[in-house]
Structure formats: structure tokens, C-alpha cells
Amino acid sequence: MRRIAVLTSGGDAPGMNAAVRAVVRSADFHGLETFGVRDGYAGLIEGRVEPLGARAVSGILHLGGTVLGTARSPAFRTTEGRRQALKHLDLFGIDGLVVIGGDGTFRGGDALSREGHIHVVGIPGTIDNDLIGTDFTLGFDTAVNTALESIDRIRDTAASHGRLFFIEVMGRHSGWLALYSALAGGATEVLVPERPTDVARIRERIRRSFALGKRFCLVVVAEGDDAGSAFEIAEAVAEGVDVDHRVTALGHVQRGGPPMMRDRVLGALLGDAAVAALIGGADRAMVGQRCGEVVHTPLERTWSTADRTPEDLLTLMDRLAR
Ligand code: ADP
């Protein structure tokens, strides 16, 4: 292995830049040349590849988003698109590729490696924390903290006016962000895509909470909840509760912003681990951190749905919200 490339793909996540920096600097340390690919797989198909030296990644560690850019690339889902991408990797003499992103990115990386002479190693980068093989993905901690800042502000208003607030956070298929924000924000209820929502039960629970002397309630809703949007759920729940209610959808403010310490450190650790993995001959593997250890997981196992939002934390929420 002499030349490697790095790209970021799918939804941006804080900490991606920290990982890019670590890949480049660690590769430099090991005497490898690194190339950066612009805009994920779209840039790879178009040959938008450029050398990245240790100095080129100065001053990016603390930035949210991704300085390499990211894009959705329908063309990369086709064999012809991936053939083009492989052609460009060959042209530059690149034999190792680090892909930073979520499950879609890993599906693409897996297919690419199966069809060509390229070793692919993935770094989990998504605010959804929905990948198997790592306790946390890059961006999750920062996104939870961002949501939490808004929840704390909303709590002030909810408490002052004695209101019922519904707060919608990101998570189309995954409730991790909602669960951690709700648990850390002291919400009464959390609604996640992994658990069927029983509107009547929630209405009853909230009615009881107010009857028992609670002055306000926060309900955190993942955007992909099966009962609908936070606005629809609020209408259905509030019908039987005699309390003023409001709805806030946090939206895209949750994605960007400077990475928190955990995402910077995880980016450093996994960027370095990805380079070591490539040097060690790893292919179609994701580097992750479980219980403080760096571990490798086959890419094709990372997007399995077996490991869902933790039941024990959902029950803990229920126990503490009274
Ligand atoms: P994420 O990586 O955050 O899950 P996406 O699902 O948008 O984001 O995937 C990122 C990119 O990965 C897509 O734009 C596409 O180019 C590529 N990709 C996704 N799924 C596949 C697949 N099944 N086969 C090949 N490439 C894929």
C-alpha cells in the first residue's frame, strides 16, 4: 500500500473533518501518500481527486460539516458508475480507500471493493448512530448536544408557562438521537421509530402527570415515528389534555456546528485506525470503538437492523419520567 484516498459521503456529520485530518496525518506518519476526493462518490466518478498533505488539513479539526464536500450519487449505485470510479482510482495509482459516512456509504464501498482491486475501510460518520460495530458514530454526540441546547431553552418556556411541548428531532429510521436527547433533557416521553406509538397511552400518561402536579411536560419525537410528525402527534395527544401545547421541529440546526470533544477524539482515533487497518491488509471493514477498544466489523454487517435503539434506556426513561 503506497497511496490511499479519503472521501466523505452521505449526510454530513460533525467530526468528519477530524477524521479526514487524522487519516491524512497518520498516513503521512506511515510514509503513505493521501488523496482527497471531492463530494463523495460523485467526485470519484468524475475524477475529482487531489493530493492532500499534512499541511492541507490544518485548521479543519474544529469545523463541522466536511471540507471535502459530500453528495448523493445515484450513478454510484450502478456498476457503470463504479467502473468509472475504479478507473480514476487506477489512474492515480490508489490502492486503499477510506470512506467516511453511514450505511449507504458502506454499501457503496462494499460494492466497489468487490468489483475492483481496491481495499476499502469505513469510518462511521452519521448523526443517527445507527451502525453496528461501534458504540457511537461520528457526529452523534455533537448532534445530541445541539438538540439538548434547544430542549433546555424550550424547557424554560414550558416551565414558565406550564405548557406541554412536543419537540421533533432528526431520525427517520433511528431513535438514538431522540432517546439520548430525551433522557438528557428530562423529557416525559420519547417516541422512536423502533417502538410502535400508542397515542392513547401517551395522552393518558401526560394527563396523569399533570393531575399529579407536574407543571409542564416535554415530549421528544423522532421525525420517523410511526404515528406521524410531531405536529400530527401533538394534535392527537392534546385533544384529551386540558393544557396549552406547542410544537417545535428542530430540523437542520442539529446537523452542523463545531464537533464536541467526543467527536473530535473519535475522529482522531478512527482516522488513525483506518490507516492502520489498510496497512494491515484489511478490506471491506469498518473501524469502530466498542467499550474503549478499536474493533473491525465487516462492512456488510454494519447496516444490519439487529442492533436497535437500546430497550434498557427506553425503560430507564419510563422509570425516571414521573
Ligand atoms: P449515508 O452514507 O449517510 O447512509 P446515503 O444513503 O445517501 O448516505 O448513501 C451515500 C451514497 O452511497 C449514495 O449517494 C450512493 O452514491 C451510495 N450508495 C448508497 N447505497 C448504495 C448501494 N446499495 N450500492 C451502491 N452505492 C450506494
Side-chain angles (χ1 to χ4, degrees):
M1 182 107 1
R2 256 182 6 92
R3 288 182 164 182
I4 66 167
V6 57
L7 61 80
T8 51
S9 162
D12 65 301
M16 281 183 160
N17 288 325
V20 168
R21 172 182 178 271
V23 167
V24 173
R25 297 256 169 109
S26 179
D28 189 59
F29 173 83
H30 290 291
L32 304 180
E33 276 180 81
T34 309
F35 291 77
V37 181
R38 294 280 166 196
D39 300 332
Y41 294 131
L44 198 53
I45 289 175
E46 292 158 15
R48 288 187 283 126
V49 177
E50 57 198 64
L52 279 185
R55 289 285 69 75
V57 289
S58 293
I60 66 166
L61 174 63
H62 63 296
L63 301 177
T66 156
V67 295
L68 288 178
T70 180
R72 314 267 180 205
S73 168
F76 197 78
R77 293 174 183 268
T78 66
T79 353
E80 177 49 28
R82 293 192 293 274
R83 208 178 55 76
Q84 284 296 323
L86 286 167
K87 195 183 82 185
H88 287 119
L89 289 167
D90 257 5
L91 226 58
F92 283 90
I94 294 164
D95 35 24
L97 176 66
V98 178
V99 297
I100 308 173
D103 65 311
T105 300
F106 292 171
R107 283 175 210 267
D110 188 75
L112 188 74
S113 157
R114 286 179 195 279
E115 291 163 13
H117 302 291
I118 182 89
H119 281 202
V120 176
V121 167
I123 296 179
T126 161
I127 63 166
D128 291 332
N129 203 40
D130 58 350
L131 292 166
I132 293 186
T134 191
D135 291 338
F136 296 107
T137 56
L138 283 180
F140 176 68
D141 180 63
T142 304
V144 171
N145 277 290
T146 304
L148 204 50
E149 195 183 316
S150 298
I151 290 172
D152 287 346
R153 287 169 198 272
I154 289 170
R155 159 185 286 274
D156 288 347
T157 301
S160 303
H161 288 264
R163 278 180 187 154
L164 165 60
F165 257 95
F166 294 83
I167 304 154
E168 186 175 281
V169 302
M170 281 183 164
R172 243 174 277 154
H173 307 288
S174 158
W176 281 90
L177 187 49
L179 175 57
Y180 269 67
S181 310
L183 196 52
T188 303
E189 279 284 352
V190 63
L191 312 186
V192 296
E194 293 90 338
R195 187 165 70 169
T197 293
D198 180 348
V199 169
R201 189 191 65 81
I202 292 161
R203 189 189 297 127
E204 196 38 49
R205 174 113 190 240
I206 288 169
R207 206 176 7 215
R208 196 155 19 96
S209 291
F210 280 106
L212 289 173
K214 225 175 161 81
R215 257 189 57 75
F216 69 97
C217 271
L218 305 180
V219 178
V220 175
V221 183
E223 65 178 331
D225 190 75
D226 63 304
S229 72
F231 291 92
E232 290 162 337
I233 293 170
E235 283 315 308
V237 171
E239 222 166 72
V241 183
D242 189 24
V243 178
D244 206 11
H245 78 276
R246 296 284 188 278
V247 186
T248 303
L250 297 186
H252 275 85
V253 295
Q254 293 158 92
R255 240 184 215 298
M260 302 294 286
M261 175 276 283
R262 280 181 186 278
D263 286 325
R264 297 184 196 200
V265 173
L266 191 62
L269 199 87
L270 297 184
D272 182 62
V275 171
L278 282 174
I279 292 171
D283 186 19
R284 296 200 288 274
M286 183 192 84
V287 290
Q289 192 185 35
R290 296 206 85 148
C291 304
E293 301 280 327
V294 169
V295 293
H296 293 189
T297 305
L299 283 181
E300 63 189 348
R301 284 232 329 263
T302 60
W303 60 76
S304 142
T305 52
D307 200 3
R308 311 301 293 267
T309 304
E311 263 315 309
D312 54 340
L313 287 188
L314 283 168
T315 21
L316 174 63
M317 261 290 305
D318 289 343
R319 267 205 304 282
L320 300 187
R322 36 195 68 253

